[in-house]
Amino acid sequence: MLHLNAFLMGVGHHEAAWRLPDSDPFAQTDVEHFKRLARIAERGKLDSLFLADSPVLWNSIGRRPGGTLEPTVLLAALAGATNHIGLIATASTTYNEPFNLARRFASLDHVSGGRAGWNIVTTAGEKAARNFNLDDLPAHRDRYERAAEFIEVSLKLWDSWDDAAPLGDKDGGRWGDDDLLYPPEHSGRHFRVAGPLNVPRSPQGYPLLVQAGSSEDGKDLAARYAEAVFTAQQTLAEAQAFYRDLKRRATQVGRDPAIIKILPGIVPAIGATEAEARALEEELDRLIKPEYARQQLATTLRVAPEDLDLDKELPADLPSEDEIEGAKSRYTLIVTLARRERLTVRQLIGRLGGGRGHRTFAGTPEQVADAIEEWYRGGAADGFNIMPPVLPSGLETFVDHVVPILQRRGLFRTEYTGTTLREHYGLPRPANQFTRQLAAANR
């Protein structure tokens, strides 16, 4: 079965969605808006909700609504508004500490009854570094080495309580068994953490682990730890190559590649007719203010805004990928897209305004379902990260008109069959690593 995830972002992923007559330009901090979106997604039996995040103001507040709620806090509210759908939050391994973050996700897993997921990012950009006592962005390789150790420490903390540690023995006056706590006493290059965690082992054992980097280091990290991978791919051939590469890397590190679910992003502008869908896409693109978008593109490409002529192609002398320390995979995707299709800067801004490098698609519900099925059956995806250009209308249209087509084709569930996010993804609850070690030692 396909896995479908609803990527929620304010009033839509298109940067000009807030300018449409029916959009609420302040919805990005309105919890009721997100509760409505969560209920729509759950009505469609989608696997999960996903919230992106960064510890920095993303862009000029002149360009689009600025500021976002902290995702684990928002997802705790959405847990109370839903019953089944998974709840995935982005959190950085560069600008957090393992104990605090492990506690936060264990708490969300308890609050939601086992529906939490963690999208692991290393965070690109110098501005974020300056919010955390740093003068510059740590090197790309250093961020990924820290991320790997961060995950290892988090896994130890989530396993620092045996499932049997809480007893609740009222007659004996013994609430829990201290012998079933396993303090990790971790000491490594980046972290020293004693433990144990001050939250019992959660319903899922630990949250679903998601990863979203597509650089070489990002793919290596995903192959070692990820259970779902969010990625941006523009063509079927590129998506197939990424899919094969990541599954191969997982096999090389001794993992079952079927465990990792690869979910490219798709930004579907949907209309009753193809002309209606194209009209929506064109209306949104007309509302983009190129002066803001050019500044953002220049920052991503590490060039001066005046070097980007709106009506010409990208300059020939852009930095090489080796010179880029942050967001390597997104940089490569943007430059490759522009060069391959010979887009002017203005045309490139329009393409990126809809999905920031993710695949944009305009068509009828049948055509959107066809596109999803083609990639799924073609070995390019295990499912999709659905990124509606306009919210809530784009999500409602997808749920009410695309999902039924996928269900009729036998590609997507008609009812939830499990209660946890891991069950939605067909994954077992992980065994406690310390319990396994003790069992092995006692054989």
Side-chain angles (χ1 to χ4, degrees), residues 233-275:
Q233 307 294 334
Q234 284 286 327
T235 69
L236 176 62
E238 289 170 347
Q240 289 169 327
F242 179 88
Y243 189 96
R244 289 192 301 268
D245 184 29
L246 195 53
K247 301 281 185 170
R248 175 187 58 80
R249 292 177 194 235
T251 301
Q252 287 178 336
V253 296
R255 297 183 70 201
D256 178 358
I259 286 175
I260 305 176
K261 312 301 182 184
I262 298 177
L263 311 176
I266 184 171
V267 188
I270 308 170
T273 64
E274 188 174 345

Side-chain angles (χ1 to χ4, degrees), residues 95 125-126 129-130 134-139:
Y95 304 115
E126 293 80 7
R130 292 197 290 271
L134 298 174
D135 295 326
D136 203 356
L137 176 70

Side-chain angles (χ1 to χ4, degrees), residues 86-396:
L87 308 163
I88 301 173
T90 299
S92 173
T93 56
T94 305
Y95 304 115
N96 280 293
E97 290 292 319
F99 192 94
N100 286 345
L101 204 60
R103 184 189 188 197
R104 200 181 311 161
F105 277 103
S107 299
L108 180 60
D109 207 44
H110 278 289
V111 167
S112 65
R115 294 186 279 145
W118 172 24
N119 179 42
I120 303 160
V121 297
T122 63
T123 308
E126 293 80 7
K127 290 182 179 180
R130 292 197 290 271
N131 286 337
F132 292 88
N133 299 310
L134 298 174
D135 295 326
D136 203 356
L137 176 70
H140 189 270
R141 178 59 59 86
D142 289 343
R143 296 202 316 277
Y144 276 92
E145 288 179 355
R146 176 186 167 100
E149 187 178 342
F150 195 115
I151 297 167
E152 289 288 349
V153 177
S154 298
L155 295 173
K156 291 177 181 178
L157 288 168
W158 289 320
D159 284 342
S160 63
W161 286 61
D162 194 284
D163 287 320
L167 299 173
D169 181 1
K170 293 182 180 180
D171 291 338
R174 190 174 179 224
W175 185 86
D177 187 344
D178 286 298
D179 291 335
L180 295 180
L181 296 181
Y182 313 121
E185 299 292 349
H186 176 90
S187 181
R189 178 186 172 194
H190 297 279
F191 306 108
R192 286 187 298 141
V193 181
L197 198 63
N198 56 352
V199 181
R201 200 160 191 259
S202 72
Q204 292 189 111
Y206 49 82
L208 185 82
L209 299 181
V210 185
Q211 199 271 341
S214 296
S215 66
E216 293 302 303
D217 289 328
K219 287 186 284 190
D220 283 342
L221 188 77
R224 288 173 60 190
Y225 298 108
E227 293 158 318
V229 175
F230 295 156
T231 181
Q233 307 294 334
Q234 284 286 327
T235 69
L236 176 62
E238 289 170 347
Q240 289 169 327
F242 179 88
Y243 189 96
R244 289 192 301 268
D245 184 29
L246 195 53
K247 301 281 185 170
R248 175 187 58 80
R249 292 177 194 235
T251 301
Q252 287 178 336
V253 296
R255 297 183 70 201
D256 178 358
I259 286 175
I260 305 176
K261 312 301 182 184
I262 298 177
L263 311 176
I266 184 171
V267 188
I270 308 170
T273 64
E274 188 174 345
E276 185 180 302
R278 298 257 177 228
L280 170 61
E281 189 175 53
E282 291 167 4
E283 179 183 11
L284 288 165
D285 288 348
R286 279 197 302 272
L287 294 173
I288 293 175
K289 298 197 73 171
E291 58 268 34
Y292 289 128
R294 185 172 71 164
Q295 175 64 56
Q296 180 66 35
L297 180 60
T299 299
T300 300
L301 299 179
R302 307 297 195 269
V303 298
E306 54 269 22
D307 292 338
L308 299 178
D309 188 318
L310 287 171
D311 297 308
K312 293 183 179 179
E313 295 180 28
L314 292 180
D317 56 345
L318 292 175
S320 69
E321 184 181 329
D322 291 341
E323 298 175 77
I324 303 298
E325 280 297 340
K328 281 181 181 286
S329 58
R330 191 53 51 90
Y331 173 89
T332 302
L333 185 149
I334 290 171
V335 174
T336 300
L337 170 65
R339 302 280 196 229
R340 181 180 61 235
E341 301 190 21
R342 305 199 65 177
L343 301 174
T344 66
V345 170
R346 191 185 304 275
Q347 290 169 328
L348 180 60
I349 283 171
R351 294 286 290 274
L352 298 177
R356 303 176 307 285
H358 290 276
R359 184 189 183 199
T360 57
F361 188 93
T364 64
E366 194 83 22
Q367 289 172 321
V368 173
D370 288 344
I372 288 173
E373 183 172 3
E374 180 188 21
W375 280 37
Y376 175 62
R377 295 198 185 279
D382 296 304
F384 287 86
N385 213 11
I386 307 303
M387 304 167 59
V390 182
L391 290 168
S393 61
L395 183 60
E396 284 181 310

Side-chain angles (χ1 to χ4, degrees), residues 368-441:
V368 173
D370 288 344
I372 288 173
E373 183 172 3
E374 180 188 21
W375 280 37
Y376 175 62
R377 295 198 185 279
D382 296 304
F384 287 86
N385 213 11
I386 307 303
M387 304 167 59
V390 182
L391 290 168
S393 61
L395 183 60
E396 284 181 310
T397 302
F398 185 86
V399 162
D400 293 339
H401 298 284
V402 179
V403 168
I405 296 171
L406 298 173
Q407 290 170 332
R408 287 196 297 271
R409 295 180 185 181
L411 295 172
F412 193 63
R413 68 172 64 87
T414 55
E415 295 293 340
Y416 290 107
T417 57
T419 60
T420 70
L421 179 53
R422 289 185 167 277
E423 289 173 326
H424 298 345
Y425 276 80
L427 299 173
R429 186 177 188 268
N432 188 308
Q433 61 184 296
F434 299 113
T435 303
R436 290 200 308 267
Q437 292 169 10
L438 288 171

Side-chain angles (χ1 to χ4, degrees), residues 60-74:
S60 164
I61 64 170
R63 180 181 180 186
R64 66 185 300 170
T68 54
L69 298 174
E70 199 284 323
T72 57
V73 172
L74 178 54

